[in-house]
Amino acid sequence: MLNVRPQPVVTPPASVPTPSPTVGRVEIEQAEAALVEHYPRLVRIAYLVLPTSLGRNRRALTAHALAQRSLPRTGNTPARDDAYAYVRGRVLRQALDACLPLRRLARPRRAQFPPLLPQVWGLRVFPRSGGADELALDQRLSALSGPGRAAYVLRVLEGLPDTGVRRALTAAGVDDPQEALAEADQLAGALGEGAAALLASPEFDPCSLQARPTDLMRRRQHVKAALVAVAALSVCGALLGMPGDGWGPYGAAAPPYARNPAAEAALNPALLKRVSATAWQRSSRTDFSVWPTRGALTDDRALLRRALAVWARPGSAVEVSTTPGTPPGPPMGSPQLLYAGEVDRARVVLLHDGLRVIRYAEPRNGTGGVALDFARTDGADAASSGALIASRTHANVRYLMAPWVEKTAVRDLLDPAGDPRPLQRGADGVTAPLPSPARARDCRSWDVLELRDDSAGRLLTDLGELTPVRLTSGPPSAPRDVVGTAARASWARTACLLAGVRGHGVRSVNSWQYAKQPLPESNGTAAWLCTRAETWRGTGSRVMAQFHDPHAGAGTPGAIVARAEDGPSCGVREPRVLAGVLWKSRAGRWYVLAAGSEQFASLTTSGGVDGSANGRLLAVPATQGSRAELNGRLADGRRVSALH
């Protein structure tokens, strides 16, 4: 049985939507939403109104065509009570047009011709056959006029009162709605109250179809004739396409339909590159190119062929995601097979082509829910190629670890004094599930992956993409892994701010405490931090300056006092920053506070608050709501404005 609905089956509403008391203009988006939501019901209405003389195959396809052509044109939407009634009226008008006979001198209507779309080649499709009652109802409906069938369907299937039926028929162009209602009354008297259930039966459901072949002998004759015609056209096209004096539209490229050996080889699972388990120990490189091929399904040619084919030509049902700046095209030559195996309830394939890592996932049972994820990984090193996302569920994530990682653990960034929790991983390198902060609704914890190899512990966090993000601390010229109580305490107040760079193609995030400032009135010492997120594509970096009040809780996020995007501040090219904040002391007095990195020799404020200070710290009395312009002067005399 063929299911030709454009979306999963939607149960028809218990009652038809009633018009709202306010008449307004139906927007195209509203009409489209009504069409999608009630598509099976609208197609059934069209099928019941269309004449049986069309035959069940053409009648079913025409019903779909009428429903799909019922959207209004841009800027030409008349006022209607509600979107569903408007779309239903369009369907009725077209179905009634299809009931009209073709006349020699009359202008034909589009609905009177066979539909161009949808089309089914080589098969005849029709709804499932019902019983004797359904057959009798179909015969009685065929005896009515088109308006009579429409009136009966609106009254029985849609549940409209007679006034609503008259209004709908008039809007659909019926000249005499009362006569149509009279026909419907006669049929209703003959059938009784059980007709509503019959109209809702599979006999009249063109969304659930059976298929049978067409006339096979006639089709074979048509195919032979078509092949002869194609051969003749090819010869003529070759003669007409002889080279002239200039370039064609594609230059020296082969025709679009030509077979390319390199492209075909890239989609051959037998030619996938496979790396041995010990290659990384002998290689001068330490990145994804030396990851070994792992997983229990690395010899499943059918799975690998599907993964490569979907990579090259993802269908409309495939859920595709790409990190910003990642080209989603087919593989560039035969890719490297990193992993193929079952993870959770899916079969997963991870591939690498030198520029990108691709994750293909299909359900272990069934054929729906295929996903394809692209992530850019060019320029990866040992620090940024330590793990990949193997599986992501609603709240958890599993990683595939690099072969050089010796130990894995889980650490909560919001608990800087807490001990790491061991994280098990299988022989195939896939870890046990751990909570992912990428989809958390709140920020009560922030679990990160801690890796240990030859170096100290390295922290990676999931930000919703295929590649986890490395976290570091320290000045931009020499960032280091987050090790020690002070670094973890700083990140405890920064972790929840990472939500602002989810899904941004981030490669690493460095948080740098660039100044400490004694607060006025002996209110303690505040910390100033600059946090910079670098991307895999090189552009699109994000910078934020933080102010950490000493009286806030250990896990309270820092106050973001300045932001910048795609700029050099706090980075290797410009390892400096200046930021300010309007702050209130515990005694209730207001101050403008500012701090710069060690390159600043003096700071000044102007505008709403005037003040200056030698050195890189400033505190000037102010009032609530004050606004000031902050500038600094470097040791070499250059004037630099604050981060903004």
Side-chain angles (χ1 to χ4, degrees):
M1 183 175 67
L2 300 178
N3 191 319
V4 297
R5 299 174 185 176
Q7 63 165 23
V9 176
V10 177
T11 304
S15 62
V16 178
T18 57
S20 61
T22 302
V23 177
R25 183 170 295 277
V26 178
E27 300 294 340
I28 293 180
E29 293 79 4
Q30 296 174 328
E32 183 179 10
L35 173 63
V36 173
E37 182 181 0
H38 302 293
Y39 183 85
R41 196 176 190 88
L42 293 167
V43 176
R44 185 187 291 266
I45 292 172
Y47 184 82
L48 288 167
V49 175
L50 287 170
T52 58
S53 59
L54 296 178
R56 300 177 72 191
N57 177 77
R58 179 177 167 185
R59 189 178 169 195
L61 296 180
T62 302
H64 282 277
L66 300 185
Q68 293 172 17
R69 294 202 304 258
S70 60
L71 288 179
R73 295 182 178 180
T74 304
N76 190 26
T77 311
R80 285 293 184 269
D81 293 342
D82 68 317
Y84 175 75
Y86 173 76
V87 175
R88 183 183 61 198
R90 301 259 304 179
V91 172
L92 279 176
R93 177 180 287 273
Q94 295 179 87
L96 292 173
D97 287 345
C99 298
L100 300 174
L102 286 170
R103 291 184 172 86
R104 179 174 299 177
L105 299 180
R107 182 180 179 182
R109 311 278 179 90
R110 182 180 180 184
Q112 293 176 278
F113 294 98
L116 297 176
L117 290 173
Q119 286 286 352
V120 179
W121 298 95
L123 291 173
R124 294 176 60 253
V125 293
F126 45 87
R128 290 182 293 177
S129 299
D133 293 336
E134 288 86 353
L135 179 61
L137 174 59
D138 198 27
Q139 291 175 345
R140 288 181 178 271
L141 285 173
S142 66
L144 300 182
S145 65
R149 286 192 297 272
Y152 186 77
V153 170
L154 290 172
R155 175 190 285 173
V156 178
L157 184 64
E158 294 291 87
L160 294 183
D162 286 355
T163 55
V165 174
R166 290 192 193 94
R167 188 184 305 114
L169 293 178
T170 301
V174 176
D175 295 329
D176 192 351
Q178 193 59 41
E179 182 179 354
L181 277 170
E183 291 186 59
D185 286 335
Q186 293 179 0
L187 182 58
L191 295 177
E193 298 180 356
L198 295 178
L199 288 180
S201 68
E203 167 76 16
F204 305 108
D205 183 10
C207 285
S208 296
L209 302 175
Q210 291 180 317
R212 293 293 185 272
T214 56
D215 189 329
L216 298 179
M217 292 300 296
R218 181 179 298 176
R219 190 170 71 187
R220 183 178 300 175
Q221 295 172 356
H222 290 172
V223 169
K224 289 180 179 179
L227 290 176
V228 172
V230 169
L233 288 174
S234 299
V235 173
C236 295
L239 294 175
L240 293 173
M242 294 294 287
D245 296 332
W247 289 106
Y250 300 103
Y257 54 82
R259 302 178 66 180
N260 185 287
E264 291 182 343
L267 302 180
N268 187 347
L271 299 180
L272 284 171
K273 297 176 184 177
R274 297 169 184 257
V275 178
S276 68
T278 59
W280 66 274
Q281 299 173 350
R282 305 184 301 271
S283 175
S284 60
R285 300 178 58 172
T286 310
D287 55 19
F288 293 113
S289 66
V290 294
W291 272 37
T293 300
R294 289 173 287 180
L297 300 179
T298 55
D299 294 327
D300 189 336
R301 292 287 182 88
L303 170 65
L304 300 178
R305 190 180 302 278
R306 290 194 298 273
L308 291 170
V310 171
W311 179 358
R313 304 180 306 277
S316 58
V318 178
E319 184 178 348
V320 180
S321 70
T322 60
T323 59
T326 304
M332 300 174 293
S334 298
Q336 173 190 352
L337 176 60
L338 302 179
Y339 179 85
E342 290 190 357
V343 187
D344 294 326
R345 295 188 298 271
R347 288 187 287 265
V348 175
V349 179
L350 286 166
L351 300 162
H352 178 241
D353 69 350
L355 173 66
R356 304 161 296 176
V357 167
I358 287 82
R359 177 182 176 271
Y360 168 85
E362 65 180 29
R364 189 165 52 188
N365 300 313
T367 58
V370 175
L372 186 67
D373 303 321
F374 292 82
R376 187 168 176 172
T377 57
D378 52 319
D381 54 14
S384 55
S385 61
L388 289 171
I389 303 296
S391 173
R392 186 190 304 280
T393 59
H394 177 68
N396 295 329
V397 66
R398 292 179 187 261
Y399 292 95
L400 176 65
M401 305 308 305
W404 52 82
V405 174
E406 298 174 357
K407 295 181 181 180
T408 55
V410 181
R411 185 181 289 276
D412 184 2
L413 274 184
L414 302 189
D415 184 12
D419 295 326
R421 311 188 303 271
L423 179 64
Q424 302 298 322
R425 56 174 167 166
D428 60 354
V430 177
T431 68
L434 68 152
S436 169
R439 298 185 178 180
R441 296 182 179 180
D442 50 30
C443 193
R444 298 179 181 179
S445 64
W446 195 284
D447 286 343
V448 296
L449 184 66
E450 185 175 74
L451 313 184
R452 289 192 176 272
D453 43 39
D454 293 337
S455 63
R458 180 175 299 135
L459 298 187
L460 302 177
T461 187
D462 175 29
L463 290 183
E465 295 176 325
L466 185 55
T467 52
V469 177
R470 183 191 179 193
L471 304 181
T472 58
S473 293
S477 58
R480 55 186 179 274
D481 290 315
V482 184
V483 178
T485 305
R488 286 197 290 268
S490 175
W491 264 106
R493 300 191 61 181
T494 303
C496 293
L497 304 179
L498 290 173
V501 293
R502 286 175 180 165
H504 192 61
V506 175
R507 175 175 181 164
S508 63
V509 180
N510 183 61
S511 193
W512 167 37
Q513 181 178 296
Y514 66 89
K516 284 188 174 183
Q517 182 176 24
L519 296 175
E521 304 177 15
S522 301
N523 276 211
T525 302
W528 292 84
L529 285 82
C530 191
T531 304
R532 181 181 176 91
E534 299 284 5
T535 67
W536 283 96
R537 62 191 183 276
T539 59
S541 60
R542 294 190 177 182
V543 179
M544 54 186 173
Q546 300 179 56
F547 176 79
H548 286 188
D549 192 310
H551 302 292
T556 304
I560 300 177
V561 298
R563 298 176 186 267
E565 186 168 349
D566 205 16
S569 298
C570 287
V572 176
R573 295 186 179 276
E574 194 175 285
R576 63 173 183 267
V577 63
L578 171 63
V581 67
L582 184 64
W583 172 81
K584 181 181 180 181
S585 70
R586 284 180 290 178
R589 285 182 282 270
W590 291 88
Y591 293 85
V592 169
L593 304 180
S597 52
E598 60 185 7
Q599 296 90 340
F600 286 86
S602 63
L603 307 179
T604 59
T605 61
S606 58
V609 179
D610 294 328
S612 63
N614 291 325
R616 58 194 185 108
L617 302 176
L618 178 144
V620 180
T623 58
Q624 183 178 1
S626 296
R627 300 181 66 87
E629 182 180 348
L630 175 63
N631 291 281
R633 196 168 295 277
L634 302 179
D636 60 6
R638 284 182 296 163
R639 189 184 182 195
V640 177
S641 60
L643 181 71
H644 60 275

